[in-house]
């Protein structure tokens, strides 16, 4: 069964993660417990992935969404011969749902296990300070495969994006998870990296995650966002910094929304790591903004063809500032 984002937002049996737009606040004011099944499976080339259905594992895994105050119960079905788990960032959990061998929290080969993630809104401590809530752009990943720290799962594709929303957040038309892991984007290198598409004027949400052992920065051509939780300004007086490039080091994550082509028009726009040797080495993808009717804008196909033919083998930068193949 195909699971659409709308069905996930609307609360169907497919495994909803967030209430539909327009649902009354009372429907989730007290916090809902939501249940979902995720399958961990082997993929070709020694890779692994998470999926919402058997045989549908992907890299990255499915983008999960809940609202502050909700609890998410994940039944993780391990369909592999490896020890593995699912470990979240940004939410609350006890040691039994840690996903780490330290706490003996993992799935044995072919074992099914339930992990519980809880969230809450910010609250007044009564002492002049507020405790933060869980709203933000986060991620989840394996923490048990290969070593005592579970680093093999990250290296082989067991990861995905996680959004905890506040009530009233604007929901996008398109969503994309972009993971920088060593010298790869979503476990691919250019020219095989994802071409992410939207139509002119669509609201597009990006969830950016860093893994591996290398420092990275994320840059999106021709688009910019506010350096806030959502990438948007809260009012006409909000003076948050506006950025188009942000650090994306291992273990970090952020997200933002943009209007595709706003102020610049449709076209084939690059997104890439701005560490120069990394972009030369293949950490480049394309954000294709189509015309409003879905057609390709002038020059876009030629730009895509050039991208496919570009040299992504990498270069060494000499002290004199010149690049040498």
């Amino acid at each position: 069964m195909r699971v659409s984002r709308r069905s996930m937002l609307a609360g169907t049996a497919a495994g909803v993660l967030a209430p539909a737009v327009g649902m009354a606040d009372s429907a989730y004011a007290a916090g809902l417990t939501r249940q979902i099944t995720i399958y961990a499976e082997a993929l070709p080339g020694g890779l692994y992935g998470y999926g919402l259905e058997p045989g549908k594992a992907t890299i990255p895994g499915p983008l999960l969404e809940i609202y502050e105050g909700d609890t998410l119960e994940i039944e993780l079905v391990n369909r592999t011969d490896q020890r593995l788990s699912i470990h979240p960032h940004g939410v609350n959990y006890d040691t039994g749902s840690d996903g780490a061998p330290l706490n003996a929290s993992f799935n044995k080969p072919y074992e099914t296990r339930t992990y519980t993630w809880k969230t809450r809104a910010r609250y007044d401590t009564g002492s002049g300070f507020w405790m933060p809530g869980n709203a933000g752009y986060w991620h989840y990943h394996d923490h048990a495969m290969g070593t005592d720290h579970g680093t093999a799962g990250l290296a082989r594709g067991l990861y995905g994006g996680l959004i905890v929303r506040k009530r009233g957040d604007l929901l996008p038309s398109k969503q994309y998870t972009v993971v920088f892991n060593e010298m790869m984007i979503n476990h691919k290198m250019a020219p095989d990296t994802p071409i992410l598409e939207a139509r002119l004027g669509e609201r597009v949400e990006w969830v950016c995650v860093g893994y591996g052992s290398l420092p990275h920065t994320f840059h999106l051509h021709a688009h910019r966002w506010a350096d806030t939780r959502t990438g948007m300004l809260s009012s006409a007086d909000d003076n948050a910094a506006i950025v188009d490039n942000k650090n994306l080091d291992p273990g970090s994550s952020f997200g933002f929304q943009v209007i595709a082509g706003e102020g610049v028009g449709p076209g084939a726009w690059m997104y890439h790591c701005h560490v120069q040797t990394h972009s030369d080495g293949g950490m480049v993808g394309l954000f294709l903004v189509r015309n409003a009717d879905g057609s390709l804008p002038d020059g876009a196909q030629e730009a895509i063809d050039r991208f496919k033919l570009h040299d992504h083998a990498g270069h060494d930068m000499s002290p004199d500032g010149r690049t040498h193949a």
Side-chain angles (χ1 to χ4, degrees):
M1 176 180 61
R2 179 179 176 83
V3 182
S4 69
R5 182 175 185 279
R6 178 53 55 195
S7 69
M8 293 182 72
L9 287 174
T12 67
V16 69
L17 303 184
V21 179
M23 185 178 290
D25 284 357
S26 60
Y28 46 77
L32 299 178
T33 296
R34 308 181 182 282
Q35 299 172 328
I36 189 170
T37 299
I38 292 180
Y39 301 86
E41 300 180 318
L43 297 172
L47 301 177
Y48 295 84
Y50 296 113
L52 293 174
E53 301 175 59
K56 298 293 182 67
T58 58
I59 302 176
L63 179 59
L64 307 183
E65 299 181 53
I66 54 178
Y67 280 98
E68 280 187 325
D70 287 352
T71 294
L72 181 60
E73 292 182 354
I74 298 176
E75 181 184 58
L76 179 63
V77 181
N78 183 3
R79 293 165 58 90
T80 81
D81 60 1
Q82 301 290 312
R83 181 183 77 176
L84 54 78
S85 69
I86 188 167
H87 167 78
H89 287 226
V91 295
N92 301 334
Y93 49 88
D94 61 23
T95 55
S97 294
D98 186 24
L102 173 68
N103 283 311
S105 173
F106 55 80
N107 292 55
K108 297 176 182 178
Y110 306 108
E111 182 181 43
T112 296
R113 182 186 183 98
T114 299
Y115 298 79
T116 301
W117 303 346
K118 298 181 178 181
T119 65
R120 63 187 180 192
R122 66 177 63 183
Y123 63 93
D124 189 350
T125 65
S127 59
F129 295 95
W130 284 71
M131 290 295 291
N134 298 97
Y137 292 93
W138 308 103
H139 53 106
Y140 63 89
H141 58 84
D142 168 63
H143 214 309
M145 183 182 288
T147 72
D148 287 340
H149 293 285
T151 55
L154 279 172
R156 296 184 182 184
L158 283 171
Y159 50 73
L162 169 65
I163 302 175
V164 180
R165 298 195 185 278
K166 290 186 177 182
R167 284 173 284 175
D169 280 355
L170 290 175
L171 299 180
S173 301
K174 295 285 181 68
Q175 293 174 294
Y176 294 114
T177 303
V178 176
V179 178
F180 285 6
N181 192 352
E182 301 299 357
M183 290 292 289
M184 300 176 291
I185 299 177
N186 293 5
H187 252 74
K188 301 286 186 181
M189 297 179 69
D192 299 319
T193 45
I195 297 179
L196 310 177
E197 297 191 18
R199 295 189 181 194
L200 182 66
E202 284 189 309
R203 179 176 295 277
V204 182
E205 186 167 57
W206 298 70
V207 181
C208 302
V209 184
Y211 292 128
S213 301
L214 299 173
H216 298 297
T217 66
F218 174 89
H219 174 50
L220 176 61
H221 281 208
H223 297 75
R224 63 215 57 80
W225 63 93
D227 194 12
T228 63
R229 178 180 64 85
T230 62
M232 294 178 284
L233 298 175
S234 61
S235 71
D237 299 322
D238 188 339
N239 292 316
I242 308 301
V243 300
D244 66 2
N245 191 85
K246 190 169 181 177
N247 286 359
L248 191 57
D249 293 327
S252 66
S253 61
F254 61 85
F256 60 91
Q257 295 182 7
V258 296
I259 305 301
E262 183 181 31
V264 295
W269 306 106
M270 287 196 296
Y271 66 92
H272 62 92
C273 178
H274 221 297
V275 178
Q276 302 303 115
T277 53
H278 294 183
S279 55
D280 270 349
M283 294 194 71
V284 185
L286 292 181
F287 178 39
L288 175 60
V289 179
R290 292 178 174 269
N291 294 320
D293 63 2
S295 62
L296 276 176
D298 292 342
Q301 187 59 58
E302 291 82 357
I304 294 170
D305 293 341
R306 292 188 200 102
F307 172 76
K308 296 291 186 181
L309 293 174
H310 274 180
D311 176 15
H312 298 288
H315 300 273
D316 293 324
M317 180 83 69
S318 68
D320 62 6
R322 300 176 181 175
T323 57
H324 303 276

